[in-house]
């Protein structure tokens, strides 16, 4: 079955430093979604990318979808304490709305 | 009020007991999902339903069963709980439109002793 891996599993950064998490799928994806889960909370949808090579920005967050639609990245510029949490990517197989979630990257911020 | 609710929020049960986790939604979505979260393993799909008459197994359905009582209600049962089913369980919904965005409930923390 489809597998979605994320690296790194954990990332500790000083406040103000940048952060990047990478997502790789074993199969081609029709789209990639990103979710954020705050400590003690539930996953919350951030964004969806659909097109090959697509780049989207949300303030300090930049999301990219690879040309082959098998990988994606999330980059946060100048991290803040509010960025703490676990970031998950998720993708469906082509023609299937069932999502496979990545293993997640847990971000902690050192003030 | 929250759009997706789960009950109970926390539950401690003993090995061999039957337990039901309930999920209700007011979003009017057809699609509902049950996930399990374990540290380092992300979210794994247990069961999903695209409408009231449609139930599908996910990647880790063994030891679990579900019931879609209505469009708004999707229950997960553990017929005979075992300690390795200790986890955080999430219900989610989606409307199946182009965004495929999923909306998650607050989760149920289940401990099997």
């Amino acid at each position: 079955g489809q597998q979605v891996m994320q690296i790194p599993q954990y990332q500790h950064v000083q406040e103000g430093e940048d952060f990047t998490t990478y997502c790789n799928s074993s199969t081609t994806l029709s789209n990639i979604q990103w979710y954020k889960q705050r400590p003690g909370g539930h996953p919350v949808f951030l964004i969806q990318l659909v097109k090959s090579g697509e780049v989207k920005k949300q303030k300090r967050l930049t999301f990219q979808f690879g040309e082959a639609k098998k990988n994606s990245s999330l980059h946060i510029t100048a991290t803040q304490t509010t960025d703490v949490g676990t970031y998950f990517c998720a993708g469906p197989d082509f023609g299937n709305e069932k999502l496979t979630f990545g293993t997640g990257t847990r971000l902690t911020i050192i003030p | 009020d929250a759009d997706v609710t789960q009950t109970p929020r926390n539950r401690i049960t003993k090995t061999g007991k039957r337990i039901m986790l309930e999920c209700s939604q007011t979003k009017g979505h057809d699609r509902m999902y049950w996930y399990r979260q374990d540290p380092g393993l992300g979210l794994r799909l247990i069961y999903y339903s695209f409408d009231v008459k449609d139930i599908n197994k996910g990647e880790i359905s063994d030891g679990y069963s579900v019931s879609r009582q209505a469009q708004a209600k999707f229950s997960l049962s553990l017929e005979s709980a075992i300690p390795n089913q200790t986890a955080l369980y999430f219900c989610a919904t989606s409307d199946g439109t182009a965004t495929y965005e999923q909306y998650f409930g607050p989760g149920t923390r289940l401990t099997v002793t």
Side-chain angles (χ1 to χ4, degrees), chain B residues 5 7 21-26 29 32 34 49 51-52 55 66-76 91 93:
Chain B
T5 58
T7 56
L21 309 183
E22 298 186 339
C23 177
S24 294
Q25 53 112 348
T26 57
H29 291 169
M32 298 187 74
W34 275 104
S49 170
D51 65 42
V52 174
I55 302 289
V66 291
S67 173
R68 185 81 184 266
Q69 300 96 323
Q71 185 201 38
K73 296 185 182 295
F74 193 34
S75 300
L76 176 71
C91 172
T93 74

Side-chain angles (χ1 to χ4, degrees), chain B residues 3-105:
Chain B
D3 294 321
V4 184
T5 58
Q6 292 183 235
T7 56
R9 294 293 311 279
N10 290 281
R11 180 73 182 266
I12 300 174
T13 192
K14 294 186 177 182
T15 298
K17 293 291 186 180
R18 183 180 188 275
I19 183 168
M20 179 182 287
L21 309 183
E22 298 186 339
C23 177
S24 294
Q25 53 112 348
T26 57
K27 299 189 73 66
H29 291 169
D30 289 327
R31 290 158 171 77
M32 298 187 74
Y33 311 81
W34 275 104
Y35 291 93
R36 168 179 172 158
Q37 186 174 33
D38 298 277
L41 295 178
L43 292 155
R44 293 182 292 167
L45 185 63
I46 307 172
Y47 271 95
Y48 62 105
S49 170
F50 283 175
D51 65 42
V52 174
K53 296 181 180 179
D54 176 74
I55 302 289
N56 304 281
K57 292 183 177 181
E59 64 178 299
I60 55 163
S61 58
D62 288 348
Y64 302 94
S65 63
V66 291
S67 173
R68 185 81 184 266
Q69 300 96 323
Q71 185 201 38
K73 296 185 182 295
F74 193 34
S75 300
L76 176 71
S77 294
L78 287 68
E79 295 301 326
S80 180
I82 57 177
N84 76 0
Q85 290 178 314
T86 293
L88 185 57
Y89 291 85
F90 287 104
C91 172
T93 74
S94 71
D95 65 2
T97 60
T99 62
Y100 303 111
E101 173 182 353
Q102 293 194 7
Y103 297 82
F104 284 79

Side-chain angles (χ1 to χ4, degrees), chain A residues 13-89:
Chain A
V13 300
Q14 292 276 354
E15 187 175 7
E17 292 183 339
D18 292 356
F19 159 77
T20 304
T21 175
Y22 300 91
C23 176
N24 290 284
S25 171
S26 60
T27 61
T28 302
L29 301 170
S30 58
N31 67 81
I32 189 91
Q33 300 179 25
W34 286 91
Y35 291 78
K36 177 183 178 180
Q37 183 179 20
R38 295 181 184 275
H42 58 275
V44 175
F45 175 83
L46 292 176
I47 205 164
Q48 178 181 266
L49 305 172
V50 179
K51 299 177 182 178
S52 171
E54 188 170 13
V55 178
K56 286 189 176 180
K57 293 190 176 184
Q58 289 181 348
K59 297 183 179 179
R60 295 177 293 103
L61 279 61
T62 302
F63 304 84
Q64 291 188 313
F65 199 11
E67 294 290 340
K69 303 185 79 171
K70 294 182 71 174
N71 62 285
S72 182
S73 65
L74 159 60
H75 179 81
I76 302 178
T77 303
T79 55
Q80 300 176 359
T81 55
T82 53
D83 296 325
V84 165
T86 301
Y87 293 85
F88 294 98
C89 62

